[in-house]
Every structure is written in C-alpha cells, then in structure tokens.
Amino acid sequence: MSSRRIYHLLSRLVDLRPEEASSAFLLFFYFFLIQISAYIIEPVKISLYLRWLTADRLPYAYLLSALLIGLAVALNSELLQRVRRHFYIASSLLFFIFTLVLFWFLFRLHWPWLSLIYWFWSDLFMVTSTTQFWIMVNDLYHPHQAKRLIGFLVSGGLLGGVAGALVASRLARSLGTENLLLICPALLLGCLVIIYFSRRLSQKEERTDSSRAEAGKPARSSPLATWRAIRASRYLSALAVIVALGMVVTTLVDFQFVSVVGGTFTDQDARTSFLGSFLTILLIFSYLLHILFTNRILRKAGIRVALLIAPALLLLGSVAIFFIPAVYLIHWAVFIKGTDKSLSYSLNQSVRELLYIPVPPEIKYRAKVFIDMFVSKFAKGLSSIILLVGFTLLHFNLQQISLVVIAFILGWIFLNLSITREYVNTVKRNLKIKWQDADRVIKDSLDLDLTKLIFDTLESKKRSSVLYAMNLLHLLKTEKMSPELKKILSYKADEIVARSMDAVLEARGQIFIPEIDEALEQGSLGAEVEEILSLASYQEVMKDYLDRVSKDRSQEAETSKMEVAKALGLMEAGLAVTRNLKRLLKDESPDVASYALESAARLKQREFIPLIVRHLSRPATRDVAQRTLVDYGTKIIGTLKDYLSDKDEDLNLRKAIPGILARMGTQRAADILSLELKKQEEEVATEIIEALYWLRTRHPQLHFPQELVVSEIIRLIRKSYQLIFELKEIKDKKEAGLLFQDLENSLARTLKHIFELLSLIYPLEDMTRAYQNICLGTKKSLDYSIELLDNILKKELNLYLLPLIEELPLEIRAQKCRKLLKNLEKLSPGPEPGEGKPDS
C-alpha cells in the first residue's frame, strides 16, 4: 500500500500529516501484535502460578521479579549502547520467540517452581516489549506530534490486548492453558517484519532532522551513571517516583484481585477462561475509554488533570472496600482492578509516555529503560516486602492492605501535581531564545540621548561656533563628560574663541570667553554662559534679533534661527522671551524646527504642545517631536489621549502617539492604550499593539485587562483566517505572485502582533520563546513551541491559534480555519483574577 493511500485512509481516523502516515501505520500494527501476545501470556502466567504455588506465595513472585530485573536492566542498557536500536529490538524479539517455545516444552514436565520463573519471564517480556515500542515512538516524533498520534498508537495496543484476551478466554478450555503459548511466536515474527520497514523510515527521519542523527546510537553509560543522571534532574526524579508509586499501588491492587479470584475459582482452566473474559471486557472498555475520552481530556483539560484521574478513582475504590459486604468482594475486586488497568492501558499510558518526550535524547532512552524496567520492578519488589510483612507476618486482611494503598495514592497525587510544572519547564529548556530585542540591547549598552547630543555638538562645529558653544553647554549639564570625551570636544578649541557669543549679540567688540579646553577642565563654561543669558538686555537683543532673521530666507538666516532656538532653550522657563519659540516651532525648515522642539522639551511650557503635536505628522521632525512630548511627562497624557481618540485628526499624527504613551511607562498610559485597543480601529491597531508590547518588555509590573486583550487577539485570528482564505483563492493564479507574497507578509505580521498581545497576559519569556522558535521553522522548534503553548494558553484560545502556526498544506489549513471560524464568535473571554480595570 502506497504512503499516499495510507494517509488518505488514516486521515479519516486521526489528525496526522502526510509524512507521518507510514510510520504511524507500522507502529500501530507493531503495538497491536505485541499486545496480542502480551494478553495471551498474562492469563497463562496468573493461572499457572495459582495452580502450582497459590495466591499466598504471590509476594515471592513479585520479589523475584524485582531482584532479577536489575540484571535485565543492566543488559538492556549495555545492548542499547553497543548495538543499533533496531538490531537490539529485533534480537530481543528473537530471544522471546525462542524462550516461548522452550517454556511450552518445559511446562509439559510439570515442575511447580517453573511457574515462578515464567512469572519473571512474562514480566520481562511485558516491560521490555512495551518500552522498546515507546523508544521507537520517541525516535520518530516530537511532543506535539506524539500528542496527536498517541491516541491512535495506544488504540492499536488496546485492540491487540482485546484480541489476545479474547483468544485466551475462548481457546483455554479447548487447547489447554499451556498450549496458548504457541500462538505468540507467529505474532512476534510479524513484529520482526515491521521492524525491518520501520528501520528504513527511521533512517529517512534521521536524514531530515540533524538533531536525531545519533538517535540510533545513544551515549554510552553504566546503569549507575544513569541513576545519577536521573537523581540530578528534578523532572526525571519526580517521574521515577511517580512510576514507582503507581507500580506499588498497581501491585497491591493486583494482589487483592488475584487473592479474591483464587478464592472464587478453583479450577485452572475455568480460572484461565474467567481471566481471559475479564481481560477481554476490560480491554474493550479501555479501548472505548481511550477513543472517547483520552484525546479530549489531553486537549481540553491538559496533562495535570489527566494525571489526577487514575489516583482519584483508585482512592475512591480503596475507601469503598470498608463498606462492601464479603459476598460482593468479587465485584469490588473487578471494579478496582478494572479501574486500575483500564486507565493504565489508556489514559495513564498516554500521559506517561508524553512525559518522556521532552527529555533530552542523550539521557531520555537510558532513563526510560531504567525507570520503566528497574524502578518499576524495584517498586514491585517493595510491594512484595510490604505484602510479606503485612499479609504473611502481621496477617493483614484486604481492608488493611487498602489502608496502605490509600497512603501511597495520596503521595502519588501530590507528585502528579508537582511534575506538571516541571514538564512545562522541561519543554521550555528545549526552546532557546534565538535573538534579543534590538532596541533594548542598544538602549542597555548605549546612551542614545547622550550619543545624539555628542554628534550634534561635533557636527555644529562645521556650521556655527555659536551652536557648538551652546551644544557644549548642554552637554556639560548632562554631567556625563568623561576625560576622553573632553579631549575629543576640545580638539582645535583654540580656533573657536569669544566670537561665538558676539555673533548673537551683534556687538562691535568681543566678549571674552575662555578657551573651551580650559573651560572644560575648570567646569566654568556653563556658569558664564548662563550668566549672560539671564541678562534682561541680552533677552531684549535676542527678541530683536529673532524679529530680523525671521524675515530672512537665506541659508545664513536658517543657521541664525537654529542658534536662537538653541539659546531660548538654555533660558529659564516662564521668561517672556521664551514665548518667541512658537515662531520657530512653526518654521518650515526641519533643522530649525528640530532645535526649537529640543528647546521646548527643556522649557516644558504647555502653550507649545499643539505646535509640537503637529510635527508628529511631519516625517522629518516626527522623532524629535516624539522625544519632546515624552520629556513633557505624564501631565500631558490626557491631551495625547484626546488626539489619539480623534478620528478627524491626521492619521500619521495619531499613529505616532501610542509610542509616546509607551515611553512614559505608567499604568495610566497602559490603561489608555488598552481602552483604545478595545475600539478595534484597524488604522492605529498596529501602533497600539506595538506600544503595549513595548510597555510589557520595559515595565513588567504593569497590568493589562485580559478581556480587552483577548478580544483583540480574536479579531486578529479572524483576520488571519481571512488572509488564509485569500491565499488559497489566488494560490494557483500565475499573475498573483506579488499579491500572494504580500498576503503572506501580512499574515506573518498579524501572527507577530498576536504573540505581542499574548505576551501582555501570559509570561513574556514563554511567549518570546514560542514565537521565535515558530519563526525558526524547524520541525523540532515548531513542535516544542506548540507543546509549550498547549500547556500555557487557555485551551479554547490555543485551539483557534493552532492552524496559524502548524506546518500544514494551505488547503488543509484553510479547511481547518473555515471549520473553526464558525465557532470563533463563541469564544467569550473573561478577566482572570488579579487583572485590574484601567485607572480612571
């Protein structure tokens, strides 16, 4: 069957991508065949043990299995390091095929203690074959891929378990218990064939993803080193303890179940038939539970809730035994065993395997083998000691064992709550920050205002000695003059003498000003110039001089206006002469206007504001006007809000205001921008979003109303859907090449704005990680980003965002968007606790 046909067949059943179809198909049938064998072996194990050794000796079986499994773990770890993955798995299958035939022959000799060895062998088969299957899944898929496909893969195992249990229940009486073992070798030979084809797929996957180039050859390490690596990781330590606690609970529940069954059914074949029937019904129920609920729980409730369901139900069942009459014990045993196993086969298994996937590959495979084989069997050994002490020595009854079970369940619940946080942190560690905010990096490493002033000062040397002197005075006032900077500024200072102020005064003589290099050293230049500027006679001359040069249109007059504009800014605010700055703010020359704006920033007189605001619509002076308004501070926030809200104002002017409000960095500025965002005006939405994001990055203590932000996110998602529909419409039109590119760029910008808004209500660093790795575009980075979002965002919001970031063919993407668009209006955001309303 071709890969394309497999995809069309499976896409009706599961959410998968074309390149995943073949691997998912093979893994489904591999798990199917493994589990058929497992559920033929399982009832044979229990029935033969109860026949020869009875239920009282079950703790010995648990203890032997725990003791010997250490050797198996060491051997498996060594094989994983020395041989290639697929050769290791194929060799294991051949070993199990041979030993199955051997056990069938030896059981004919009726050795009682052989059932104890077979018990250990069957445990080894169960854990080894299942672990090897999940290793193959880890080799091929990243977290979000696995989350989509895990339901389908687990269903293969459940259906196989149903088939195996059904075979055991129907054929046990006719063939005999021991003869059922001969069915399994043929099934495992089918697994060998699948291994051959999956090896080819894995090699192809390795070529397309360099991060897995060494997947078939893990780093060499001893079991002791693996144990140390697990202890060094909080996440793996928690996972190991969770597996151990779950295994203790399962073993104690299993003992209770087997004890009740052993007392109820005395005939071997009848017991085997009952167990086969029980497992059949159990696995059918597990399959239905898995198909109907597992994916929904993972998608809508997340891993945290999924981890709590099993211990909560088992806690309920363990408490129930204290209220159940003895005659109904078999029903209770069926309930608690069915609850444990049905969830273990469906939800628990899916979640547990998902928890392994974000672990780094250099430790993942060794840790998984160690935890799944050694830790779980060690926990089973611990359970056997508890049973030996409690049941054999202290003569515990089933109710008292349930008290022990309850204690372990409570610890299990506590650790399940804690590991979800570690899971998200582990996913984050797979997502590195790819680039820093350029504006922030420059701001942190460079004083832009000082740098601009230095360049203006040096440049003014060429144009006017007066401008140079006044820029130098301004620079001195910054109190950031280093010796090196003084040396640069005083270069050829002897060429610039007292004539600098004479040019303004238009006096016949010269006013003495010390050489600039000397003034710089003595720090006296600023005081001397300020003394001159404070003279009433000087201010009167300045006014007359401005009247004269304002009528002159020559180049020299432009320089003179710049000198006057600078001088006015050096005077004290409130002087009558400073009102003349209005004329310079209206000047058509960008250079003159820029000097006037800088002076207005220092004077901060309210009467200048309307003239300053008008410069926001002029490209040449917009940046200076923005800085000037920022310098005015929070007292003009209300005025800026009025301009921003006025739809009759110039659009370029309105677009410049959000950036000014953002630089003020106050909660009131954030509230005003949020309220303007609520209006959903397309014309200024981009600037408002970028301003809010700027506020979030520089002032993380500010709060943003979630309801308003989510409403805008929904609008942008809807806009993105429309862009995708347009892209689909013009995709095959040759003449639409440039339009197609423009639409793609628009879609990329919209996605950027969505993540900027998400950063307002979710952790900034998390959203940055996710967005940057989505932009990176590799399969691994994209998949881990989606997994991180799935664990952080509200489930409904994540559902609508997913088609915009998943790597999908355009047709499928458009189809998904069209389905979701119908329900998008139903997404009604509500404010979360702690999200304050905007300040009045």
Side-chain angles (χ1 to χ4, degrees):
M1 187 182 294
S2 69
S3 178
R4 187 178 182 83
R5 291 184 64 186
I6 293 173
Y7 169 71
H8 285 302
L9 176 65
L10 295 184
S11 60
R12 301 174 185 175
L13 306 173
V14 61
D15 180 15
L16 82 168
R17 309 294 173 260
E19 66 274 12
E20 300 164 350
S22 297
S23 61
F25 181 78
L26 288 174
L27 289 175
F28 175 91
F29 278 102
Y30 179 87
F31 205 26
F32 177 80
L33 294 174
I34 285 291
Q35 292 301 301
I36 291 179
S37 303
Y39 283 95
I40 292 174
I41 291 169
E42 177 75 8
V44 172
K45 174 186 80 171
I46 297 173
S47 186
L48 288 175
Y49 191 91
L50 291 177
R51 174 189 175 188
W52 295 106
L53 299 176
T54 73
D56 294 344
R57 292 172 176 170
L58 267 178
Y60 296 105
Y62 298 147
L63 188 58
L64 176 69
S65 185
L67 292 173
L68 294 180
I69 205 70
L71 297 175
V73 169
L75 179 61
N76 270 278
S77 298
E78 190 67 19
L79 289 172
L80 268 171
Q81 296 168 69
R82 288 186 176 274
V83 300
R84 292 192 175 275
R85 185 99 70 243
H86 289 84
F87 181 78
Y88 153 70
I89 296 173
S91 301
S92 301
L93 289 172
L94 288 172
F95 166 76
F96 288 124
I97 290 170
F98 171 76
T99 48
L100 272 167
V101 176
L102 181 62
F103 273 116
W104 172 79
F105 174 76
L106 294 176
F107 276 131
R108 300 168 67 85
L109 302 178
H110 303 292
W111 294 343
W113 288 98
L114 183 63
S115 60
L116 183 60
I117 299 171
Y118 177 73
W119 184 287
F120 164 71
W121 178 94
S122 62
D123 280 355
L124 181 64
F125 171 79
M126 297 279 191
V127 71
T128 302
S129 59
T130 304
T131 299
Q132 288 173 349
F133 167 75
W134 290 112
I135 283 175
M136 294 168 66
V137 172
N138 275 271
D139 277 344
L140 289 171
Y141 303 125
H142 291 304
H144 189 67
Q145 286 178 294
K147 188 175 283 188
R148 282 189 289 102
L149 298 173
I150 202 166
F152 174 68
L153 300 178
V154 170
S155 66
L158 289 172
L159 289 175
V162 170
L166 198 58
V167 168
S169 65
R170 293 293 176 264
L171 299 182
R173 295 179 187 270
S174 57
L175 292 181
T177 298
E178 295 89 343
N179 294 326
L180 292 174
L181 297 180
L182 292 177
I183 300 172
C184 300
L187 300 171
L188 297 182
L189 285 172
C191 292
L192 281 173
V193 175
I194 293 174
I195 288 292
Y196 170 76
F197 287 104
S198 67
R199 177 175 178 270
R200 296 170 63 184
L201 285 173
S202 182
Q203 288 174 341
K204 181 180 179 181
E205 179 73 13
E206 288 171 18
R207 286 194 297 269
T208 59
D209 191 342
S210 59
S211 68
R212 299 183 189 184
E214 296 298 320
K217 220 175 170 184
R220 298 194 59 184
S221 178
S222 66
L224 182 59
T226 302
W227 167 240
R228 288 172 180 164
I230 291 172
R231 287 185 60 191
S233 167
R234 289 183 59 186
Y235 181 70
L236 287 175
S237 297
L239 183 54
V241 177
I242 285 172
V243 169
L245 290 175
M247 181 55 68
V248 169
V249 171
T250 294
T251 305
L252 296 178
V253 167
D254 184 63
F255 175 82
Q256 291 175 306
F257 172 76
V258 172
S259 298
V260 173
V261 170
T264 306
F265 299 94
T266 55
D267 179 68
Q268 172 183 295
D269 291 337
R271 191 165 51 241
T272 304
S273 180
F274 165 77
L275 290 170
S277 299
F278 169 74
L279 289 173
T280 301
I281 296 170
L282 172 64
L283 289 165
I284 291 173
F285 175 74
S286 300
Y287 178 75
L288 294 174
L289 179 68
H290 178 72
I291 292 298
L292 296 176
F293 296 107
T294 296
N295 282 340
R296 292 184 182 180
I297 291 171
L298 287 173
R299 187 174 65 249
K300 294 185 177 181
I303 287 177
R304 177 187 289 263
V305 173
L307 282 168
L308 294 176
I309 290 174
L313 290 176
L314 288 172
L315 182 63
L316 180 64
S318 296
V319 171
I321 193 174
F322 296 98
F323 306 97
I324 298 292
V327 69
Y328 295 115
L329 273 180
I330 186 66
H331 301 91
W332 170 84
V334 167
F335 167 77
I336 195 165
K337 175 72 172 180
T339 300
D340 179 38
K341 286 300 181 183
S342 62
L343 290 170
S344 294
Y345 298 151
S346 55
L347 184 62
N348 277 11
Q349 186 174 42
S350 299
V351 176
R352 187 173 64 250
E353 299 307 328
L354 285 173
L355 292 175
Y356 279 111
I357 289 178
V359 177
E362 60 268 18
I363 182 62
K364 179 193 311 186
Y365 303 107
R366 292 184 287 121
K368 180 169 176 57
V369 170
F370 189 89
I371 293 172
D372 286 1
M373 297 182 71
F374 180 78
V375 173
S376 62
K377 292 308 173 185
F378 172 81
K380 209 158 193 175
L382 176 63
S383 307
S384 68
I385 294 173
I386 293 171
L387 290 171
L388 284 170
V389 173
F391 194 76
T392 307
L393 299 180
L394 302 179
H395 305 291
F396 278 5
N397 56 29
L398 294 179
Q399 285 86 352
Q400 289 168 318
I401 291 175
S402 286
L403 288 175
V404 179
V405 172
I406 289 170
F408 279 104
I409 288 174
L410 293 176
W412 188 14
I413 290 173
F414 174 77
L415 278 169
N416 279 345
L417 288 171
S418 66
I419 199 171
T420 51
R421 293 189 296 271
E422 289 299 322
Y423 173 79
V424 174
N425 291 333
T426 304
V427 171
K428 290 178 188 177
R429 283 192 285 271
N430 283 278
L431 296 170
K432 306 297 183 184
I433 297 290
K434 301 301 178 182
W435 62 83
Q436 298 296 327
D437 184 339
D439 290 340
R440 191 166 188 174
V441 170
I442 293 172
K443 182 181 178 182
D444 292 343
S445 58
L446 188 66
D447 189 332
L448 292 178
D449 291 336
L450 178 62
T451 304
K452 181 181 182 302
L453 185 55
I454 292 171
F455 276 103
D456 287 347
T457 302
L458 294 172
E459 187 66 23
S460 63
K461 264 188 177 184
K462 304 173 184 176
R463 188 154 194 170
S464 163
S465 58
V466 175
L467 279 179
Y468 177 67
M470 288 187 286
N471 279 326
L472 191 59
L473 173 62
H474 186 190
L475 193 56
L476 285 169
K477 286 185 175 182
T478 65
E479 298 181 352
K480 296 180 181 180
M481 294 281 284
S482 65
E484 293 80 10
L485 184 55
K486 290 179 179 179
K487 184 176 180 181
I488 293 171
L489 293 172
S490 61
Y491 180 65
K492 293 187 178 180
D494 55 329
E495 299 177 7
I496 305 172
V497 288
R499 69 177 187 277
S500 58
M501 294 307 296
D502 292 344
V504 176
L505 293 172
E506 290 284 75
R508 292 181 180 177
Q510 292 185 338
I511 295 178
F512 173 73
I513 293 181
E515 289 192 359
I516 292 175
D517 54 350
E518 183 182 345
L520 288 174
E521 292 299 326
Q522 297 175 356
S524 59
L525 178 62
E528 294 177 7
V529 174
E530 285 183 346
E531 184 179 351
I532 295 171
L533 295 176
S534 64
L535 297 173
S537 57
Y538 179 84
Q539 294 170 18
E540 187 64 30
V541 171
M542 179 73 73
K543 182 178 180 301
D544 294 339
Y545 183 71
L546 178 59
D547 290 338
R548 187 166 63 255
V549 299
S550 62
K551 300 174 184 178
D552 192 347
R553 303 296 181 187
S554 66
Q555 180 68 29
E556 291 76 11
E558 183 181 53
T559 301
S560 298
K561 291 177 189 177
M562 293 163 62
E563 293 168 350
V564 173
K566 186 72 177 181
L568 289 173
L570 295 174
M571 296 179 177
E572 291 185 14
L575 295 176
V577 70
T578 58
R579 295 177 182 173
N580 291 284
L581 193 64
K582 289 183 180 180
R583 283 189 282 175
L584 298 174
L585 286 170
K586 298 176 184 178
D587 200 275
E588 295 179 357
S589 167
D591 291 334
V592 173
S594 294
Y595 269 94
L597 287 166
E598 290 174 356
S599 292
R602 289 187 287 277
L603 296 172
K604 295 182 177 61
Q605 293 176 206
R606 197 169 188 88
E607 58 192 292
F608 298 150
I609 291 176
L611 297 172
I612 298 170
V613 169
R614 291 299 154 201
H615 282 281
L616 296 176
S617 58
R618 297 176 61 185
T621 54
R622 183 178 298 136
D623 289 343
V624 185
Q626 285 181 306
R627 288 196 299 271
T628 299
L629 291 169
V630 170
D631 287 340
Y632 264 78
T634 56
K635 64 183 180 181
I636 64 166
I637 283 183
T639 303
L640 294 175
K641 175 185 177 297
D642 294 338
Y643 279 107
L644 178 59
S645 303
D646 189 352
K647 294 183 179 180
D648 295 329
E649 280 291 351
D650 180 83
L651 183 58
N652 289 324
L653 184 153
R654 294 179 66 207
K655 285 183 174 183
I657 290 176
I660 300 169
L661 291 170
R663 292 181 193 178
M664 291 182 177
T666 64
Q667 184 63 54
R668 191 181 176 205
D671 294 338
I672 288 172
L673 288 169
S674 299
L675 288 172
E676 290 300 319
L677 188 69
K678 183 180 180 181
K679 298 177 182 178
Q680 297 191 339
E681 290 186 50
E682 183 71 29
E683 294 83 1
V684 292
T686 295
E687 287 71 25
I688 292 174
I689 292 169
E690 290 175 353
L692 287 168
Y693 179 71
W694 197 95
L695 273 171
R696 180 75 168 100
T697 57
R698 272 70 176 182
H699 306 281
Q701 77 280 4
L702 298 181
H703 296 283
F704 303 90
Q706 187 184 25
E707 185 174 2
L708 300 182
V709 174
V710 173
S711 294
E712 180 64 13
I713 291 172
I714 293 171
R715 185 188 73 81
L716 292 179
I717 290 176
R718 193 183 300 113
K719 176 184 175 183
S720 300
Y721 285 2
Q722 296 298 333
L723 289 170
I724 289 171
F725 298 152
E726 292 178 36
L727 283 168
K728 181 179 178 296
E729 291 296 322
I730 67 170
K731 179 184 176 183
D732 298 322
K733 296 179 180 179
K734 294 181 179 179
E735 67 277 6
L738 290 176
L739 177 58
F740 190 88
Q741 188 175 356
D742 286 344
L743 289 173
E744 280 191 324
N745 292 337
S746 246
L747 185 60
R749 285 193 298 271
T750 306
L751 184 64
K752 176 176 179 287
H753 293 151
I754 289 173
F755 273 91
E756 287 173 342
L757 289 170
L758 287 171
S759 300
L760 304 181
I761 55 176
Y762 291 100
L764 173 63
E765 185 176 332
D766 293 347
M767 293 301 103
T768 303
R769 288 176 189 272
Y771 175 71
Q772 290 186 1
N773 282 272
I774 287 168
C775 292
L776 188 63
T778 66
K779 183 183 290 187
K780 179 180 177 181
S781 64
L782 178 61
D783 201 75
Y784 275 97
S785 299
I786 293 173
E787 183 63 16
L788 177 61
L789 294 174
D790 192 45
N791 283 275
I792 293 178
L793 302 186
K794 284 186 175 180
K795 298 302 176 183
E796 297 88 350
L797 191 58
N798 188 60
L799 175 66
Y800 294 108
L801 182 61
L802 200 55
L804 304 182
I805 55 182
E806 276 193 303
E807 191 174 350
L808 296 169
L810 186 56
E811 293 77 9
I812 297 175
R813 190 191 299 269
Q815 185 180 2
K816 285 195 169 191
C817 292
R818 202 170 298 280
K819 289 180 181 178
L820 291 171
L821 188 60
K822 298 176 183 178
N823 299 319
L824 190 57
E825 304 297 335
K826 299 178 183 178
L827 187 61
S828 55
E832 288 191 353
E835 292 294 341
K837 294 181 179 180
D839 297 340
S840 58

